[in-house]
Amino acid sequence: MRMSKGVEWALHTLINLDVIGGGPMHSGRLAEAHGLSPSYLTKQLQQLAQAGLVSSVSGPHGGFRLARALEDITLLDVVEAIEGDVKAFHCTEIRCEGKIGALSPPPTRTCAVHAAMRRAEDAWRQALAAQTLAGIRADLNVTPAAARLVRKALD
Amino acid sequence: MRMSKGVEWALHTLINLDVIGGGPMHSGRLAEAHGLSPSYLTKQLQQLAQAGLVSSVSGPHGGFRLARALEDITLLDVVEAIEGDVKAFHCTEIRCEGKIGALSPPPTRTCAVHAAMRRAEDAWRQALAAQTLAGIRADLNVTPAAARLVRKALD
DNA sequence: GGCTTACTACTCGGATACTGCTTGTCCGAGTTCAGGGGG
DNA sequence: CCCCCTGAACTCGGACAAGCAGTATCCGAGTAGTAAGCC
């Protein structure tokens, strides 16, 4: 039950992309901004590109840039882009296996255990979808001085 | 981001323990009731015992029995018993690493990304804590005939 | 001098090893029950 | 006839392998910019 650390990397990197603004930034710079593995961060950025959160530009002066405004990117978007379809609980229908499964008639309704876990996960997903990266950036309270600092670090 | 399948096993097994009621039932029977690996289910039951959800009895005619009523067992109790402390998102404080970390003053407040992810997980945890196994069993709508069937399968 | 063309350097993209955790299994410690012997 | 003791069988409990997803890495494909050559 551990979330990939790529999610943390992606979130910070997306916000950094917004702070510097403008043209594409190549992944190596974005990685050293937080001391991350460049190759692995590239992999995560590719996932984000496939999901349409960033756009990639090849060649010299290429890199990644935001494809949407932070207001239009929710936490759920990022988590789903990195983790794929987020279903922590996987119902394997063990109620239909073994002795009980053999003796019971085939069930007609969905598994109650499954339904209960799904309700909880829906609450989680909903809470993720309710928060945008713009809100997080506002919470970070990036001062103009801090923004200059980030641009300098990525320059 | 996958939850251990032990959680599913534990939930179904706990409800079965309640349906049969009474004395301890040994893990082998509980396992074959749903076609599970006996050794591995024992491992999960031990986790539940450590968490105080079931009590274990050694020796012949021993096994596991519910230590609490289903009303007093929430989904969160089970998930935490099996998975340990449930924190999907682990903040590694990358904001303090790399170039940005070196240039920025040490932060005073908690990481905004971390806080946002924690809010979502709190919603999930809260939804888990709001559902008891008694509610799930009620949702299953176990008829007397079905209860007899379970007892027979575990006899 | 301007245009075309080939080259180079730099970036993303996907295929390829490695690591840690979940999953699965095994054997030993402890306990209860049963049977036999003694009082 | 009743009690105690010894033994055996059965259960949990924790230590020990195997498989798989997450982690990390590397090299090839593609592109833009540049410089040289030609008109």
Side-chain angles (χ1 to χ4, degrees):
Chain A
M1 189 62 208
R2 249 187 76 207
M3 176 170 292
S4 162
K5 70 170 65 171
V7 173
E8 183 188 11
W9 295 16
L11 288 169
H12 282 281
T13 301
L14 285 170
I15 292 175
N16 283 340
L17 279 176
D18 184 66
V19 170
I20 61 173
M25 173 63 61
H26 78 272
S27 59
R29 288 278 169 77
L30 291 166
E32 66 185 5
H34 284 303
L36 311 174
S37 156
S39 318
Y40 193 41
L41 179 64
T42 301
K43 194 187 186 76
Q44 310 301 339
L45 286 168
Q46 286 168 19
Q47 305 270 97
L48 295 178
Q50 264 193 325
L53 303 185
V54 300
S55 58
S56 62
V57 180
S58 288
H61 300 284
F64 295 89
R65 91 176 83 192
L66 283 180
R68 301 190 214 160
L70 286 193
E71 286 80 14
D72 299 327
I73 302 180
T74 68
L75 282 183
L76 183 62
D77 292 330
V78 178
V79 172
E80 282 187 334
I82 301 294
E83 297 267 330
D85 199 8
V86 277
K87 294 270 199 318
F89 183 85
H90 284 261
C91 182
T92 57
E93 293 286 343
I94 61 173
R95 61 175 174 165
C96 302
E97 304 291 329
K99 281 192 172 180
I100 289 182
L103 292 173
S104 305
T108 55
R109 296 196 301 171
T110 60
C111 177
V113 169
H114 184 191
M117 294 300 290
R118 193 165 51 191
R119 275 192 291 274
E121 286 193 29
D122 282 343
W124 176 62
R125 240 187 311 278
Q126 199 171 338
L128 286 176
Q131 302 184 78
T132 68
L133 292 197
I136 295 177
R137 182 181 164 168
D139 196 26
L140 274 169
N141 195 20
V142 182
T143 61
R148 273 196 302 276
L149 189 146
V150 170
R151 283 193 210 95
K152 185 182 172 190
L154 284 165
D155 197 31
Chain B
M1 188 60 208
R2 249 188 74 207
M3 178 171 290
S4 162
K5 70 168 65 170
V7 172
E8 182 188 11
W9 295 15
L11 288 170
H12 282 279
T13 300
L14 285 170
I15 291 175
N16 283 341
L17 279 176
D18 183 65
V19 169
I20 61 173
M25 173 63 61
H26 78 271
S27 59
R29 289 277 170 77
L30 292 166
E32 65 185 4
H34 284 304
L36 311 174
S37 156
S39 318
Y40 193 40
L41 179 64
T42 301
K43 197 187 185 75
Q44 312 300 340
L45 285 168
Q46 285 168 19
Q47 305 268 101
L48 296 177
Q50 264 194 324
L53 303 185
V54 300
S55 58
S56 63
V57 180
S58 289
H61 300 283
F64 294 90
R65 90 176 84 193
L66 283 180
R68 300 190 213 161
L70 286 193
E71 287 80 14
D72 299 328
I73 302 179
T74 67
L75 283 182
L76 183 62
D77 292 330
V78 178
V79 172
E80 280 188 333
I82 301 295
E83 296 268 330
D85 199 9
V86 277
K87 294 270 199 322
F89 184 85
H90 283 261
C91 181
T92 57
E93 293 287 343
I94 60 174
R95 62 176 174 164
C96 302
E97 304 291 329
K99 280 191 172 180
I100 290 183
L103 292 173
S104 306
T108 55
R109 295 195 301 172
T110 59
C111 177
V113 169
H114 184 191
M117 295 300 288
R118 194 165 50 190
R119 275 193 290 274
E121 287 193 30
D122 282 343
W124 176 62
R125 239 187 312 277
Q126 199 170 337
L128 286 176
Q131 303 184 79
T132 69
L133 292 198
I136 295 178
R137 182 180 164 169
D139 197 28
L140 275 170
N141 196 20
V142 182
T143 62
R148 272 195 303 275
L149 190 146
V150 171
R151 283 192 212 97
K152 185 182 172 189
L154 283 163
D155 197 29

